[in-house]
Amino acid sequence: MKQKLAHFLKSLGPGLLFASTCIGVSHLVQSTRAGALYGFGLLWAVMAANLFKYPFFEYASRYANATGTSIIDGYLRLGKWMLWLYAIVTLSTMFFVTAAVGAVTAGFFDNLFGISSSLGPGAVQYLLPILFVVCILILYVGQYKILDSLIKIVGAVLLLSTVVAFVLTLIKGPVSSQHQFFEPSILDPSSAGFAFAIALMGWMPTALDISSWTSLWTLERIKQTNFKPSLRETLREFNFGYIVSAILAPCFLLLGAYLLYGTGYSMPGNSAAFANGIIELFTQTMGDWSYLLIAASGFSIMFGTCIAVFDGYARTTERVATLLLQGDTANKSTASKTGSYHLSLLFVGVGAYIIIYFFGTSLKDLVDLATTISFIVAPIIALVNFRLVTGKYIDKDQQPSALMRWLSYIGIIFLLFFTIIYIVYY
């Protein structure tokens, strides 16, 4: 038992980073909005997305442990066309995703320190380049190590406060008695509810195209600790993070449903006002004394998420570029090369700020666009990840079980079904 715990702690990191990436926007923003707008009408979408997308995230960690390379290397093994396709998918989403996460983080920062009230509402837009520079500098200096340490601290604080707020909200009860667990109008492809459901599932628990990050972080953790866990230990660590994320998603939905649904209150589109609305949900149940604590932990988790997004996209960009330029002759090591990693960080930051410059800080539009793009490309990533762990690329004893395979089939059908409907109608 003692040895199992020691091994778990040595491998602990990638799963928590994954959970942080999920909680940052899909939970704090999208799940809360879902509850506020539709009560429990989209609970099925939250639960289904967490269940049916699970295998394809797990496969990235599985592949990294089994082969000692990232799943991005696996895409090249399928053919250079697949690596190019993944490069296009990454390029089409990463600036929108980073911009959306940055806008949310800036909103929580503004809420915590009252920047807008002192310098005017336009001040938030000037916070973003400062925020991006800070994230880049932190990763310049510490890379994975500082990111790993930061997430473990702030994630624990937010987890505890969310559970407390959830329990107190259950005890207090809903402000409205109009709740129902299924809203038929949401399934009408021409309705605003259907479009929102697609956006919600696009980042629930997070975008499927960033499953590659968990494989990169798994390999970086092995390098950092000089400890190679077994496949079971790697998957146990990933599952811990995934389960935490999956449990918190309906908690945030319930907070929005119990405290806002039926009141006529609409979550603001402005990032700072939205952040304030999220924090007030907690203080309504925990008391005014908790405002500063929740504001600080909310900003901290979003700041950690923002750093994780920069790190994930920089590592991805670096690895994709290396494989495209060098092909099969590329070094099998996926460790970050300092110069190209730093250049990739700058590339992500500049691109994301250009998106924000044109979109402004209209948080809801930015998030919905990023999440919808992620949902549309999800079936492609799901199919490829599944093929890499069920074919000739890893040993039979390291391949997923029959149950996981069946869950994968259902998941692929689920993703394809909603994607096709969305493409046809929109």
Side-chain angles (χ1 to χ4, degrees), residues 365-412:
D365 292 341
L366 194 59
V367 169
D368 285 347
L369 178 59
T371 53
T372 300
I373 292 173
S374 295
F375 190 85
I376 291 172
V377 302
I380 302 171
I381 304 300
L383 283 164
V384 172
N385 286 8
F386 179 66
R387 183 180 174 188
L388 283 172
V389 297
T390 55
K392 61 183 179 180
Y393 305 102
I394 64 175
D395 296 337
K396 290 285 185 184
D397 61 337
Q398 296 175 313
Q399 294 184 10
S401 65
L403 178 61
M404 280 288 284
R405 289 171 184 254
W406 277 106
L407 184 58
S408 300
Y409 296 139
I410 298 171
I412 291 169

Side-chain angles (χ1 to χ4, degrees), residues 160-342:
L160 180 61
S161 58
T162 302
V163 170
V164 171
F166 174 75
V167 172
L168 292 176
T169 301
L170 281 179
I171 296 171
K172 186 178 180 181
V175 296
S176 171
S177 59
Q178 303 172 22
H179 294 286
Q180 53 185 8
F181 284 91
F182 184 72
E183 175 55 58
S185 65
I186 292 173
L187 295 183
D188 177 5
S190 63
S191 69
F194 182 84
F196 178 74
I198 292 295
L200 175 68
M201 291 188 289
W203 263 4
M204 184 55 62
T206 190
L208 197 54
D209 50 289
I210 66 174
S211 58
S212 60
W213 298 5
T214 60
S215 68
L216 291 166
W217 286 332
T218 296
L219 297 169
E220 190 65 27
R221 181 63 178 173
I222 292 172
K223 177 193 169 190
Q224 182 195 24
T225 60
N226 201 27
F227 169 71
K228 173 65 165 64
S230 65
L231 177 60
R232 179 173 293 184
E233 289 167 340
T234 291
L235 297 183
R236 185 183 294 126
E237 192 276 337
F238 171 76
N239 288 337
F240 173 74
Y242 198 93
I243 290 169
V244 168
S245 166
I247 291 173
L248 288 181
C251 290
F252 280 102
L253 185 142
L254 181 137
L255 285 170
Y258 265 42
L259 300 177
L260 296 179
Y261 181 70
T263 64
Y265 177 80
S266 177
M267 298 297 287
N270 175 271
S271 57
F274 190 96
N276 182 64
I278 294 292
I279 294 166
E280 285 184 349
L281 287 182
F282 283 84
T283 56
Q284 282 182 42
T285 52
M286 297 175 67
D288 292 339
W289 64 270
S290 66
Y291 187 92
L292 187 59
L293 172 66
I294 301 302
S297 61
F299 166 70
S300 297
I301 195 66
M302 281 309 312
F303 185 54
T305 299
C306 198
I307 296 174
V309 166
F310 267 96
D311 182 78
Y313 276 126
R315 289 179 188 278
T316 299
T317 301
E318 177 193 37
R319 193 59 188 166
V320 167
T322 299
L323 292 172
L324 285 175
L325 292 172
Q326 300 178 20
D328 294 331
T329 64
N331 192 316
K332 294 299 180 184
S333 171
T334 56
S336 295
K337 310 301 185 297
T338 303
S340 54
Y341 175 75
H342 291 172

Side-chain angles (χ1 to χ4, degrees), residues 25 88-104 128 132 203 207 209-210 213 306 309 313 347-360 362-374:
V25 175
I88 293 169
V89 167
T90 301
L91 194 63
S92 67
T93 59
M94 71 176 180
F95 299 132
F96 287 99
V97 171
T98 308
V101 172
V104 178
L128 285 164
F132 285 174
W203 263 4
D209 50 289
I210 66 174
W213 298 5
C306 198
V309 166
Y313 276 126
F347 178 63
V348 174
V350 171
Y353 186 71
I354 290 172
I355 295 295
I356 289 174
Y357 181 81
F358 285 106
F359 273 81
S362 179
L363 176 62
K364 291 195 287 188
D365 292 341
L366 194 59
V367 169
D368 285 347
L369 178 59
T371 53
T372 300
I373 292 173
S374 295

